[in-house]
Amino acid sequence: GAGVSQTPSNKVTEKGKYVELRCDPISGHTALYWYRQSLGQGPEFLIYFQGTGAADDSGLPNDRFFAVRPEGSVSTLKIQRTERGDSAVYLCASSLASGGRYNEQFFGPGTRLTVL
Amino acid sequence: AQRVTQPEKLLSVFKGAPVELKCNYSYSGSPELFWYVQYSRQRLQLLLRHISRESIKGFTADLNKGETSFHLKKPFAQEEDSAMYYCALSGKSGGTSYGKLTFGQGTILTVHP
């Protein structure tokens, strides 16, 4: 079946602009995660949703970052007033449930964001 | 706070040689440990998890709570094992794992012919 998909695959924007990154999880997966991966680093947790609600948003770096998942499926990560330091690969993952025996996370291909 | 440390950014071995990718963690509770792998031009995928106690593609990893380590081992490396490997931790409380993963910085394994 289809895996996690993310659009766009690449996004180039200018400093100060607003961007939206989209994630389509695997059908039926209730948990959805966003991570950010800077060059030479491992993925860094941003936020995760269980259904429609953000169960843990402790990784969001500041209030310029916001994510939604209004119908419990597709999620959008929104970044306002982008800064050059926001340049990274943004990864999305989904799992059947959060925790327990189903917490294998399946990752998407990522969106590479470049802020000029 | 939870932390995962992979001390080697790069590791090179020859085909048929044993390989060990090191991972140490810091977590005050009871963690669940994973190894994820990313092959060239592919997405990140789960290789193995400590509770499964499985051997996947010849790789094994044992959780050593005394040394807070979860090293990944394979007795005879193959060229197709060349990839980026990430050790990851999920905190656990009351038998239920938390969702978020904390990753190490990753180790690039290169297996030469």
Side-chain angles (χ1 to χ4, degrees), chain A residues 73-86:
Chain A
S73 178
V74 170
S75 176
T76 305
L77 178 66
K78 308 181 181 195
I79 310 174
Q80 298 178 321
R81 304 183 304 280
T82 51
E83 300 178 356
R84 294 194 179 88
D86 299 335

Side-chain angles (χ1 to χ4, degrees), chain A residues 33-105:
Chain A
Y33 313 81
W34 284 100
Y35 295 86
R36 177 170 70 173
Q37 187 169 22
S38 301
L39 194 62
Q41 304 295 318
E44 178 187 23
F45 170 78
L46 295 176
I47 184 171
Y48 99 82
F49 291 88
Q50 183 61 48
T52 60
D56 183 351
D57 64 357
S58 62
L60 294 177
N62 52 59
D63 61 6
R64 295 188 297 106
F65 288 74
F66 189 70
V68 295
R69 194 186 185 199
E71 297 178 358
S73 178
V74 170
S75 176
T76 305
L77 178 66
K78 308 181 181 195
I79 310 174
Q80 298 178 321
R81 304 183 304 280
T82 51
E83 300 178 356
R84 294 194 179 88
D86 299 335
S87 296
V89 175
Y90 289 81
L91 295 169
C92 177
S94 70
S95 69
L96 270 171
S98 172
R101 56 190 285 234
Y102 296 118
N103 66 344
E104 176 176 352
Q105 295 181 25

Side-chain angles (χ1 to χ4, degrees), chain B residues 33-104:
Chain B
L33 274 295
F34 306 85
W35 277 98
Y36 277 80
V37 61
Q38 187 166 26
Y39 300 102
S40 179
R41 286 184 282 279
Q42 294 187 28
R43 58 187 69 188
L44 197 58
Q45 59 185 285
L46 179 67
L47 179 62
L48 56 81
R49 53 196 297 183
H50 87 268
I51 63 171
S52 299
R53 297 183 177 273
E54 294 174 304
S55 173
I56 305 293
K57 299 184 178 183
F59 285 97
T60 59
D62 291 319
L63 179 62
N64 185 323
K65 292 186 179 179
E67 296 183 358
T68 58
S69 68
F70 187 57
H71 303 327
L72 183 67
K73 301 177 185 179
K74 184 169 183 176
F76 307 104
Q78 303 299 314
E79 290 178 69
E80 55 266 30
D81 296 329
S82 296
M84 172 71 92
Y85 291 80
Y86 293 99
C87 183
L89 176 154
S90 178
K92 190 162 63 174
S93 175
T96 302
S97 296
Y98 298 136
K100 72 179 186 183
L101 293 171
T102 298
F103 287 87

Side-chain angles (χ1 to χ4, degrees), chain A residues 8 10-14 17 19 111-116:
Chain A
N10 278 284
K11 176 70 177 178
V12 181
T13 191
E14 293 179 343
K17 299 290 189 182
V19 296
T111 293
R112 182 176 297 278
L113 175 66
T114 303
V115 182
L116 301 177

Side-chain angles (χ1 to χ4, degrees), chain B residues 14-36:
Chain B
F14 285 100
K15 178 183 172 182
V19 63
E20 180 179 67
L21 290 84
K22 291 185 167 45
C23 172
N24 288 88
Y25 68 89
S26 172
Y27 183 67
S28 57
S30 183
E32 189 164 351
L33 274 295
F34 306 85
W35 277 98
Y36 277 80

